[in-house]
């Protein structure tokens, strides 16, 4: 059998849109990007492969919104807070721990996008960009009626995996520096019908889990059972399966990972029902439509943030997002989770240049695959900052489209000023570096993403 086939060239493909900004991927980064662009006057199209928005928050069944606070105030106060507010209005969010209902998150994300004037195109997957030199002319997407083309002045890649950037020829990194291994995937699931009052303490669960693993009833490399309460009284959310050694950007491996994730879910259900009090009558309530992918590509941009920047709490005049969430690395090859916390009251900032990839003139990258190292990625990847980074992309893309600039020509300090004027919790100007000590905690994480 030949290793490759070729497809016919020169097929005529209909052009369905010609807009200012196209955003590829409607997860937290894409929601932030699309609203950021539309609110700043850009005609904006948001392209999403599923029939709903939210990305990992909905399709990946990820919960809760991880904290990203300073002095009790959320640092992500732009589009992300609008999403939360709408979720609360719809009865889909529970404070103080910000657990939310994924179904309501779909409604809320769609409503706020439409209200901002974003056009949404569902059920289309990126095929490839059509390039005009170093610029993207249009993107080809595959939907139910086959291929279609969509043209824009500026594109934003919020696919989580930098699919558009990679196919446009932008350089990128993958996984950790040591061996290229990326953080593991996880099939998240919820159990309903749980008698919360009878659940044992975490130490007892740990002992039972260790025994079940030692005796072969559970095969999962994760070191502990990671679970969270939910918006409902009798439901528990599990973020505890661990699938290592599979790439989220490889067709065959991604598919195999789904099967391995669900194999582990089935073992956990049996274990919980048979060995953990309170779960005797519990049942599987829901799973993600897809396995959760923590890490794949990270583009190489005009700026690059490293673990050292994290440890120093680096600040930048064009810092468009502040992050307090720790370094949170689930071992890419086995057991263990590394958590490194910043000292209370400090944060680091992501400069605008981390969103501007090398190698393509009219592209920005938002959400998790930005230009940072493996360690910083593990911190900024959580949903609140991913959304704010997206909002910065959208703001910059609107400025670029209106003035005929490339994203590299847009002044990141201006992007920051516009975001401040639109309610994002940032401070104009440079705030100087804080050379603060940090806490390294390699023990099993209870609050981990
Ligand atoms: C198992 C797991 C647990 C986590 N736990 C937490 C947690 O508790 N709290 C927290 O805040 N964060 C958590 N995170 C991190 C967080 O969910 C993600 O890092 C975050 O959602 C990234 O946002 P994003 O928009 O960059 O990407 P995504 O959320 O992945 O969104 C990408 C979007 O692009 C779409 N897309 C992808 N490729 C294409 C394509 N080719 N064509 C068209 N559309 C495409 C996808 O369908 C999706 O909607 C967790 C992540 C995982 C995997």
């Amino acid at each position: 059998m030949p290793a490759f086939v070729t497809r016919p060239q020169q097929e005529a493909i209909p052009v369905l849109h010609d807009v200012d900004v196209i955003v590829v991927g409607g997860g937290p980064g894409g929601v932030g990007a699309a609203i950021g662009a539309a609110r700043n006057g850009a005609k904006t199209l948001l392209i999403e492969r599923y029939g709903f928005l939210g990305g990992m928050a909905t399709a990946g069944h990820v919960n809760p919104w991880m904290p990203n606070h300073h002095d009790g105030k959320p640092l992500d106060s732009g589009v992300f807070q609008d999403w939360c507010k709408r979720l609360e209005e719809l009865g889909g969010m529970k404070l103080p721990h910000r657990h939310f209902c994924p179904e309501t998150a779909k409604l809320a994300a769609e409503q706020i996008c439409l209200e901002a004037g974003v056009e949404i195109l569902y059920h289309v997957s990126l095929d490839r960009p059509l390039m005009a030199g170093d610029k993207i002319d249009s993107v080809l997407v595959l939907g139910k009626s086959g291929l279609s083309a969509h043209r824009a002045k500026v594109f934003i890649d919020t696919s989580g995996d930098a699919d558009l950037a990679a196919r446009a020829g932008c350089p990128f990194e993958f996984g950790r520096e040591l061996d290229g291994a990326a953080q593991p995937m996880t099939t998240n699931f919820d159990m309903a019908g749980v008698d919360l009052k009878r659940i044992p303490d975490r130490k007892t669960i740990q002992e039972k889990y260790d025994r079940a693993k030692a005796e072969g009833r559970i095969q999962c490399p994760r070191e502990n059972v990671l679970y969270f309460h939910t918006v409902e009284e009798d439901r528990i959310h599990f973020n505890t399966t661990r699938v290592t050694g599979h790439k989220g950007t490889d067709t065959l491996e991604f598919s195999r990972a789904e099967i391995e994730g669900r194999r582990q879910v089935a073992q956990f259900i049996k274990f919980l029902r048979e060995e953990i009090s309170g779960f005797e009558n519990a049942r599987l309530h829901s799973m993600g439509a897809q396995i959760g992918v923590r890490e794949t590509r990270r583009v190489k941009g005009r700026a690059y943030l490293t673990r050292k920047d994290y440890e120093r709490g680096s600040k930048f005049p064009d810092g468009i997002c502040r992050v307090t969430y720790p370094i949170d690395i689930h071992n890419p090859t086995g057991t263990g989770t590394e958590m490194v916390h910043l000292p209370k009251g400090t944060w680091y900032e992501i400069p605008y240049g981390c969103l501007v990839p090398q190698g393509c003139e009219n592209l920005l990258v938002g959400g998790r695959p930005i230009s940072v190292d493996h360690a910083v990625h593990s911190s900024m990847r959580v949903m609140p900052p991913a959304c704010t980074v997206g909002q910065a992309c959208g703001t910059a893309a609107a400025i670029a489209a209106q003035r005929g600039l490339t994203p590299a020509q847009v002044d990141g300090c201006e992007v920051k000023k516009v975001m401040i004027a639109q309610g994002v919790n940032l401070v104009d100007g440079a705030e100087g570096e804080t050379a603060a000590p940090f806490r390294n905690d390699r023990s099993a994480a209870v609050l981990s993403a």
Side-chain angles (χ1 to χ4, degrees), residues 24-30 47-50 52-57 59-60 62-67 124-127 158-161 163 167 184-188 228 237 239 290-295 366-369 377 380-387 448-449:
V24 176
I47 284 173
E48 168 55 44
R49 69 179 158 181
Y50 294 125
F52 51 85
L53 301 177
M56 286 300 121
V62 163
N63 227 295
W65 310 118
M66 277 294 154
V124 286
S125 264
L126 176 72
D127 177 62
T158 44
S159 64
D161 299 316
D163 283 353
R167 289 170 206 175
M185 299 185 216
T186 293
T187 303
N188 285 332
F228 298 87
H237 171 72
N239 171 353
Q290 69 152 87
I291 190 167
V293 180
R294 286 191 178 79
E295 183 188 18
R368 71 173 190 259
H377 173 274
M380 63 66 56
R381 73 189 166 92
V382 291
M383 297 183 284
C387 188
S448 170

Side-chain angles (χ1 to χ4, degrees), residues 32 86 101 154 186 232 266-267 358 375 406:
R86 185 59 55 89
C101 162
V154 182
T186 293
E232 282 168 34
Q267 284 192 334
Q358 299 170 18
T406 65

Side-chain angles (χ1 to χ4, degrees), residues 23 26-40 46 53-54 65 74-88 93 98 105 108-118 158 320-321 383-395 418-426:
V23 179
V31 169
I35 295 178
R39 270 191 194 156
N40 287 293
L46 173 56
L53 301 177
W65 310 118
L75 290 174
D76 307 282
S77 42
V79 173
F80 176 71
Q81 283 305 316
D82 298 340
W83 193 2
C84 290
K85 198 161 162 269
R86 185 59 55 89
L87 257 165
E88 279 185 68
M93 194 159 128
R98 308 205 291 180
E110 187 174 277
Q111 287 180 6
I112 59 172
C113 280
L114 294 177
E115 285 164 17
V118 174
T158 44
I320 46 73
C321 179
M383 297 183 284
C387 188
T388 303
V389 166
Q391 185 174 349
C393 287
T395 307
V418 173
M419 291 174 76
I420 292 168
Q422 294 178 353
V424 181
N425 186 358
L426 296 165

